[in-house]
């Protein structure tokens, strides 16, 4: 080897080492999410999740042949076979007989009529595009292979979340701790290891907030929000909630900037940049809403003949329900946990109570103890306001557009989780508290693996 070749090799190794040191948080969290998510997916076996996975499996089986599921369509033989042979947690085979190849419509959810027509095929395409090659290469079952697509979504979400946390001032250690806490959350356990249309929500929540903050500080063009505004609602309607947060953030930031300039006696600045930013954000919000409205108007036109699904869960949007939605928006999304109702022991819910208090203490506490500054203040207040108003607003919109309502689960507010974690990062400055939070996250990871084993053995 010549001296020149040795020098090039040395520089190459130094470059890789420097890159690794610079991005170690992202690398570590991606690896942990892949290992942990993959292990949980394999350990809880093929029994179907109680949270709408029957609907998602049916859609996934059909998406290549039909393109998308139509309103009024019944479940197919493929998903009935999975239900019959692998069972639904905790409801068993729902009357299907393993190997029969027939759907007992009376035993299936909603008497065999799908509720998947509300979703575009975007998410289900990613399931097949990622899961089918995994199935072909590994020989794992189709169900497990498709679920592993969620683990890829989790890894991508970690990259986006770390970028947001670092951009908002979190140190590497704090960013790693908060990423670990999210991976270990019950929301991540249920969302990324089963089929779930929620897999995209935190990713888009982080991406849209990141791009808005970048645009506010002039580091990126605000027009990058437009493609995100089109993509986000194609994956799920609840991705729209982050646009409410963005509007709050932008309004508070603009008011604070004007007051600061007036107090300092500065001359009025050119407002072209501000108009451009507001125009891009407003257009993105309208675009996102329009995409969802168009799909909602299109699905009845594409419906098959026959009755629609009656889930039997309709309720009224009362004042007490609006209050419940307000109170559940702060900690409810990240602590979404169906396991609390599956097993008789309360430990499956109690173990996540500290996580709820971390979120509440950070969002409420930051309003009281963090001194206002132009960088953190607008985001803290926007996150607090959005956390208590987003779910009620979604409930009102649903009631108006569909003329019906059901009790919204707190997980529908998951697009605000990235902003909430940013605020937790603002509060997480003490080394002892960082260590305690990291230790708690590791404990939850171990608990998550144990829960997967428990579910796999029980069902």
């Amino acid at each position: 080897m010549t001296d020149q070749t040795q020098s090039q090799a040395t520089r190459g190794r130094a470059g890789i080492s420097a890159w690794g040191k610079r991005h170690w948080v992202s690398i570590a969290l991606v690896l942990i999410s892949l290992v942990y998510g993959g292990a949980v997916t394999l350990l809880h076996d093929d029994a179907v999740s109680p949270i709408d996975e029957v609907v998602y499996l049916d859609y996934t089986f059909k998406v290549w042949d039909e393109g998308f599921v139509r309103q009024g369509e019944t479940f197919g033989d493929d998903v009935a076979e999975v239900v019959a042979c692998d069972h639904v947690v905790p409801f068993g085979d729902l009357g299907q007989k393993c190997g029969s190849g027939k759907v007992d419509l009376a035993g299936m959810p909603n008497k065999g009529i799908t509720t998947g027509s509300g979703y575009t095929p975007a998410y289900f395409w990613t399931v097949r595009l990622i899961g089918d090659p995994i199935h072909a290469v590994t020989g794992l079952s189709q169900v497990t292979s498709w679920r592993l697509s969620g683990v890829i979504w989790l890894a991508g979400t970690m990259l986006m979340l770390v970028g947001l946390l670092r951009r908002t001032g979190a140190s590497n250690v704090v960013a790693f701790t908060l990423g670990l806490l999210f991976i270990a959350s019950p929301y991540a356990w249920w969302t990324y290891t089963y089929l779930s249309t929620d897999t995209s929500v935190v990713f888009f929540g982080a991406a849209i907030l990141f791009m808005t903050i970048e645009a506010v500080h002039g580091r990126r063009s605000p027009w990058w929000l437009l493609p995100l505004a089109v993509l986000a609602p194609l994956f799920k309607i609840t991705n729209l909630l982050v646009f409410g947060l963005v509007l709050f953030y932008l309004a508070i930031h603009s008011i604070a900037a004007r007051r600061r300039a007036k107090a300092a006696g500065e001359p009025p600045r050119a407002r072209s940049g501000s108009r451009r930013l507001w125009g891009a954000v407003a257009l993105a919000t309208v675009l996102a809403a329009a995409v969802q409205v168009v799909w909602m108007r299109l699905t009845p036109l594409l419906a098959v003949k026959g009755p629609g699904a009656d889930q039997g869960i309709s309720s009224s949007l009362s004042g007490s329900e609006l209050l419940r939605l307000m109170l559940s928006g702060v900690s409810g999304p990240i602590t979404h946990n169906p396991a609390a109702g599956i097993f008789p022991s309360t430990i499956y819910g109690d173990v996540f109570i500290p996580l709820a208090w971390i979120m509440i203490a950070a969002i409420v506490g930051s309003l009281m103890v963090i001194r206002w500054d132009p960088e953190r203040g607008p985001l803290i207040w926007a996150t607090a306001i959005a956390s208590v108003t987003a779910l009620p607003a979604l409930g009102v919109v649903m009631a108006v557009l569909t003329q019906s309502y059901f009790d919204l689960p707190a997980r529908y507010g998951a697009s605000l989780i990235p902003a909430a974690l940013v605020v937790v990062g603002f509060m997480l400055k003490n080394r002892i508290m960082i260590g305690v939070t990291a230790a708690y996250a590791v404990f939850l990871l171990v608990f998550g693996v144990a829960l997967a084993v428990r579910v796999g053995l029980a069902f």
Side-chain angles (χ1 to χ4, degrees):
M1 182 181 293
T2 65
D3 290 343
Q4 184 178 2
T5 303
Q6 285 181 330
S7 177
Q8 289 174 344
T10 300
R11 286 197 299 269
R13 287 193 296 269
I16 293 172
S17 177
W19 182 87
K21 289 179 180 178
R22 191 164 59 249
H23 298 289
W24 73 265
V25 176
S26 297
I27 296 169
L29 289 175
V30 165
L31 291 175
I32 291 169
S33 63
L34 292 174
V35 173
Y36 174 75
V40 169
T41 303
L42 294 172
L43 288 170
H44 66 47
D45 210 3
D46 283 351
V48 181
S49 164
I51 306 299
D52 299 331
E53 198 181 24
V54 170
V55 174
Y56 304 148
L57 278 169
D58 181 66
Y59 206 135
T60 306
F61 276 116
K62 294 173 177 176
V63 71
W64 269 182
D65 296 327
E66 298 184 17
F68 54 89
V69 170
R70 290 159 176 79
Q71 186 175 308
E73 188 173 327
T74 57
F75 290 119
D77 293 344
D78 290 321
V79 72
E81 187 71 9
V82 173
V83 169
C85 300
D86 297 316
H87 299 176
V88 178
V89 178
F91 307 110
D93 60 16
L94 301 181
Q96 319 304 303
K97 293 182 179 179
C98 186
S100 70
K102 295 182 180 180
V103 185
D104 179 5
L105 294 179
M108 294 291 275
N110 314 314
K111 296 182 179 179
I113 301 175
T114 185
T115 56
S117 59
Y119 300 104
T120 78
Y123 162 68
F124 302 97
W125 289 336
T126 69
V127 173
R128 294 299 297 263
L129 286 171
I130 298 171
D132 283 1
I134 292 174
H135 174 61
V137 171
T138 66
L140 293 169
S141 70
Q142 275 189 318
V143 173
T144 294
S145 299
W146 289 343
R147 286 172 176 167
L148 287 173
S149 66
V151 180
I152 304 301
W153 271 104
L154 177 58
T157 299
M158 283 298 99
L159 293 175
M160 198 69 251
L161 187 59
V162 170
L164 174 64
L165 290 167
R166 296 293 291 122
R167 178 58 74 190
T168 51
S171 67
N172 279 333
V173 174
V174 170
F176 176 77
T177 299
L178 294 177
L180 203 64
L181 192 65
F182 176 74
I183 295 171
S185 70
Y187 175 86
W189 197 99
W190 289 97
T191 298
Y192 299 104
T193 68
Y194 291 99
L195 293 189
S196 172
T197 52
D198 292 323
T199 52
S200 71
V201 177
V202 176
F203 175 86
F204 280 111
I208 291 166
L209 181 56
F210 175 86
M211 200 58 66
T212 302
I213 293 173
E214 290 284 275
V216 164
H217 291 88
R219 290 188 288 259
R220 295 177 192 267
S221 169
W223 300 111
W224 281 109
L225 287 167
L226 298 189
L228 289 173
V230 174
L231 284 173
L234 285 176
F235 280 88
K236 189 152 190 173
I237 184 174
T238 54
N239 289 335
L240 294 175
L241 294 184
V242 72
F243 286 98
L245 167 69
V246 162
L247 290 172
F248 284 132
Y249 168 69
L250 193 56
I252 296 169
H253 186 277
S254 298
I255 293 170
R258 288 186 180 184
R259 287 185 175 180
R260 190 168 62 252
K262 185 177 180 180
E266 296 177 0
R269 297 179 179 179
R271 296 183 178 179
S272 59
S274 178
R275 286 197 296 267
R276 179 167 168 262
L277 177 58
W278 271 104
V281 172
L283 181 57
T285 304
V286 171
L287 259 179
V291 168
Q292 187 59 43
V293 170
V294 167
W295 181 254
M296 290 177 67
R297 294 290 180 261
L298 188 62
T299 50
L301 300 177
L302 301 171
V304 299
K305 293 181 179 180
D310 180 8
Q311 293 180 275
I313 57 174
S314 296
S315 63
S316 60
L317 186 58
S318 61
S320 60
E321 172 61 9
L322 287 173
L323 180 60
R324 182 191 71 83
L325 292 174
M326 290 177 65
L327 295 176
S328 63
V330 176
S331 63
I334 200 170
T335 56
H336 161 72
N337 181 28
I342 291 175
F343 300 110
S345 174
T346 61
I347 190 175
Y348 297 99
D350 293 345
V351 73
F352 299 113
I353 291 176
L355 176 59
W357 280 111
I358 288 172
M359 307 305 291
I360 295 169
I363 292 176
V364 176
S366 64
L367 296 175
M368 296 186 291
V369 303
I370 292 183
R371 189 174 181 178
W372 174 272
D373 67 64
E375 294 297 321
R376 298 181 299 177
L379 188 53
I380 289 171
W381 279 92
T383 301
I385 295 170
S387 294
V388 298
T389 60
L391 286 176
L394 181 62
V396 171
V397 169
M398 178 182 295
V400 171
L401 291 180
T402 66
Q403 303 301 309
S404 64
Y405 176 77
F406 65 92
D407 294 348
L408 297 180
R411 63 187 170 90
Y412 280 14
S415 63
L416 305 183
I417 289 176
L421 289 174
V422 168
V423 175
V424 175
F426 291 158
M427 294 286 287
L428 205 59
K429 299 299 182 182
N430 183 284
R431 288 184 179 181
I432 295 176
M433 291 308 301
I434 294 172
V436 169
T437 304
Y440 175 58
V442 172
F443 168 74
L444 290 184
L445 289 175
V446 175
F447 181 85
V449 172
L451 177 60
V453 173
R454 177 80 169 89
V455 171
L457 292 175
F459 304 102

